[in-house]
């Protein structure tokens, strides 16, 4: 039995997306960000964060690790690529998403919507937008002339990177300067499993 902890209004969204893509049955415990450090949740993830997964006693934290695990275990004919070389590329893009993009998006969101208005700094928001230009151009170049990051199929590499780019949707991030990225992101976010997240706590 799979138990999943975390809400769709957090980084847990990307793992809920993976669970939905894979069509897995799971018990959803919608632990909110504010409850991530509760004594009950610390027993599941001692770091005090969401998401967390309990797959029949295999307890994992870290959204990217959860997704790569789920894809490899349950997605051999769907999200998980066939070759070892493409496993390497899936790891690369997943880690790239959280190291090259995520921090800048969080800074942007903090100064556009999370912080109380009097603590928001427009310059920090603009610096984050500028810092995102180089990695987003890298992604755009990688997507030119191909449907998805690893070729013609949507895989966990796409889900993990598009999952990080979900942050941008909160502030209607303008991707028009990177058309290949924009077209690819539209396809990823147009998937039924992604759209289902709206109806999940
Ligand atoms: N690297 C972790 C980050 C997890 C994380 O920081 N989650 C936030 C919610 S988006 C959280 O639990 N915050 C609550 C807290 O730190 O108290 C992952 O990707 O799973």
């Amino acid at each position: 039995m799979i138990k999943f902890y975390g809400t769709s209004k957090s980084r847990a969204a990307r793992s809920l997306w993976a669970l939905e893509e894979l069509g897995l049955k799971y018990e959803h415990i919608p632990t909110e960000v504010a409850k991530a450090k509760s004594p009950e949740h610390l027993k599941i993830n001692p770091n005090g964060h969401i998401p967390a997964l309990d797959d029949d006693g295999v307890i994992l934290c870290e959204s990217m690790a959860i997704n790569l695990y789920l894809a490899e275990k349950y997605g051999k004919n769907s999200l998980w690529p066939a070759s070892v070389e493409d496993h390497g590329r899936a790891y690369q893009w997943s880690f790239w998403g959280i190291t090259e993009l995520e921090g800048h998006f969080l800074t942007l969101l903090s100064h556009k919507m999370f912080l109380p208005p009097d603590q928001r700094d427009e310059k920090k928001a603009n610096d984050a937008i500028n810092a995102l230009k180089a990695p987003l151009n890298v992604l755009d170049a990688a997507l030119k002339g191909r449907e998805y990051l690893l070729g013609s199929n949507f895989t966990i590499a796409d889900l993990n990177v598009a999952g990080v780019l979900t942050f941008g949707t909160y502030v209607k991030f303008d991707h028009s300067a990177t058309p290949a990225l924009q077209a690819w992101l539209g396809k990823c976010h147009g998937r039924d499993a992604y759209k289902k997240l709206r109806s999940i706590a």
Side-chain angles (χ1 to χ4, degrees):
M1 174 64 183
I2 295 178
K3 284 188 186 177
F4 180 77
Y5 301 80
T7 69
S8 63
K9 309 287 175 291
S10 72
R11 286 179 181 88
R14 60 185 72 142
S15 298
L16 284 164
W17 184 6
L19 286 162
E20 291 296 331
E21 284 284 352
L22 293 164
L24 294 169
K25 285 207 182 337
Y26 59 98
E27 181 186 347
H28 184 204
I29 297 109
T31 308
E32 290 169 16
V33 174
K35 297 276 165 59
K37 295 207 164 34
S38 67
E40 199 184 34
H41 187 69
L42 285 170
K43 283 186 207 148
I44 307 294
N45 181 1
N47 298 290
H49 297 313
I50 52 168
L53 179 85
D54 178 350
D55 180 18
D56 235 343
V58 178
I59 298 181
L60 293 175
C61 58
E62 289 299 328
S63 54
M64 291 294 163
I66 289 171
N67 284 7
L68 291 162
Y69 165 85
L70 288 172
E72 181 169 9
K73 185 163 180 185
Y74 299 108
K76 290 262 160 55
N77 296 316
S78 55
L79 291 183
W80 192 240
S83 72
V84 176
E85 291 75 15
D86 277 344
H87 301 168
R89 294 182 186 106
Y91 299 133
Q92 171 200 285
W93 282 114
S94 303
F95 300 145
W96 179 87
I98 48 172
T99 54
E100 301 287 336
L101 300 180
E102 189 165 78
H104 299 309
F105 271 114
L106 287 174
T107 302
L108 176 60
L109 261 55
S110 296
H111 291 282
K112 284 279 186 203
M113 60 186 291
F114 292 158
L115 287 168
D118 62 329
Q119 290 172 34
R120 292 179 199 166
D121 182 337
E122 194 61 26
K123 183 178 178 317
K124 286 191 178 149
N126 287 330
D127 286 351
I129 292 172
N130 283 330
L132 280 164
K133 282 185 184 151
L136 292 178
N137 281 333
V138 169
L139 182 58
D140 190 58
L143 285 162
K144 281 208 176 96
R146 58 173 58 211
E147 285 285 299
Y148 293 103
L149 281 169
L150 306 189
S152 51
N153 296 321
F154 177 83
T155 69
I156 195 65
D158 302 289
L159 189 155
N160 282 346
V161 176
V164 174
L165 289 170
T166 297
F167 285 132
T169 63
Y170 297 129
V171 289
K172 297 194 168 43
F173 193 94
D174 180 9
H175 287 293
S176 57
T178 49
L181 184 166
Q182 189 171 40
W184 161 86
L185 190 60
K187 276 185 292 185
C188 295
H189 285 174
R191 295 179 70 83
D192 288 345
Y194 179 83
K195 289 194 267 183
K196 202 173 163 200
L197 296 182
R198 288 188 209 132
S199 59
I200 297 177

